[in-house]
Amino acid sequence: MQWFNPINSEIMEVSVLNINGQETGRKVTLNDAIFGVEPNDHVLYLDVKQYLANQRQGTAKSKERSEMSGSTRKLGRQKGGGGARRGDINSPLLVGGARVFGPKPRDYGFKLNKKVKSLARKSALSYKAQDNAIIVVEDFEMAAPKTKDFVNIAKNLQVEGKKTLLLLPNVNKNVYLSARNLQRSEVMTASSLNAYKVLNADVLVVTENSLKVIDEILNK
């Protein structure tokens, strides 16, 4: 048995499983306008680049000459010393001196149009559909945060050891806390979906209502 849920590539139908890994007898049809588009690699590159750029703190800072403390007295004559001309002790030419054109705090983010970001998410989801790496499970709740229960769900769905992204329709604190300590599992809401997270996961586990949220957001 394969670790992922087989998808009918012609009509994009996926069997709905429960958290025990058993088929419920129901099937859902993935929206072809979202999961069946021709992936655009350049758009994916731009969206992933923007996501990673937004993760950068941009707090690197080095002192320039005017920010250094120290005497401004000229250390030696301008010419005839046999070396490079230099001014005070803060000269970049000297050890311990200032840095020329050093880094300053900055924002590495850049703008992408909404249509570009939307196409990137559709392209990422389409790649996952092509790879048969999408599992649809019925909506579930967890009475309390318990990592052991989440691990059992992963085992039942045969995704244990795989980089798994679980999409929920709404914020569910118990499910999030149950998966937080697992290095290869991540939980996020369908409305927060981005191309980087989809591409970075080996398998996408989506609840039924999350599919509706994805349709509402990407099918406008």
Side-chain angles (χ1 to χ4, degrees), residues 46-59 106-112 117 194 196:
L46 291 175
D47 193 63
V48 169
K49 181 181 178 181
Q50 186 198 47
Y51 175 82
L52 294 177
N54 289 336
Q55 307 309 303
R56 300 183 67 175
Q57 289 184 328
T59 55
R106 54 169 291 193
D107 180 10
Y108 287 91
F110 57 92
K111 181 181 178 297
L112 277 183
K117 295 179 70 67
N194 61 73
Y196 175 83

Side-chain angles (χ1 to χ4, degrees), residues 140-159:
F140 66 93
E141 296 284 341
M142 297 184 74
K146 200 167 185 180
T147 302
K148 184 178 179 180
D149 291 344
F150 191 91
V151 171
N152 288 334
I153 294 175
K155 287 181 179 178
N156 294 336
L157 297 176
Q158 299 185 8
V159 296

Side-chain angles (χ1 to χ4, degrees), residues 7 12 35-39 125-134:
I7 300 176
M12 301 286 284
F35 295 88
V37 303
E38 181 67 29
L125 291 171
S126 295
Y127 269 129
K128 281 291 177 276
Q130 290 176 13
D131 294 339
N132 284 356
I134 298 177

Side-chain angles (χ1 to χ4, degrees), residues 7 9 12 30-41 44 118-134 193 195 198-199 204 214 218:
I7 300 176
S9 59
M12 301 286 284
L30 300 180
N31 190 337
D32 192 59
I34 297 175
F35 295 88
V37 303
E38 181 67 29
N40 188 315
D41 289 340
L44 281 171
S118 177
L119 180 57
R121 281 178 285 181
K122 291 178 181 179
S123 298
L125 291 171
S126 295
Y127 269 129
K128 281 291 177 276
Q130 290 176 13
D131 294 339
N132 284 356
I134 298 177
L193 186 68
V198 175
L199 294 175
L204 201 62
I214 293 173
L218 298 183

Side-chain angles (χ1 to χ4, degrees), residues 1-8 17 21-23 130-135 154-160 162 203:
M1 185 175 180
Q2 294 170 304
W3 59 267
F4 51 77
N5 191 32
I7 300 176
N8 187 318
L17 308 179
Q22 302 165 339
E23 292 194 12
Q130 290 176 13
D131 294 339
N132 284 356
I134 298 177
I135 295 177
K155 287 181 179 178
N156 294 336
L157 297 176
Q158 299 185 8
V159 296
E160 188 183 20
K162 303 289 182 181
V203 58

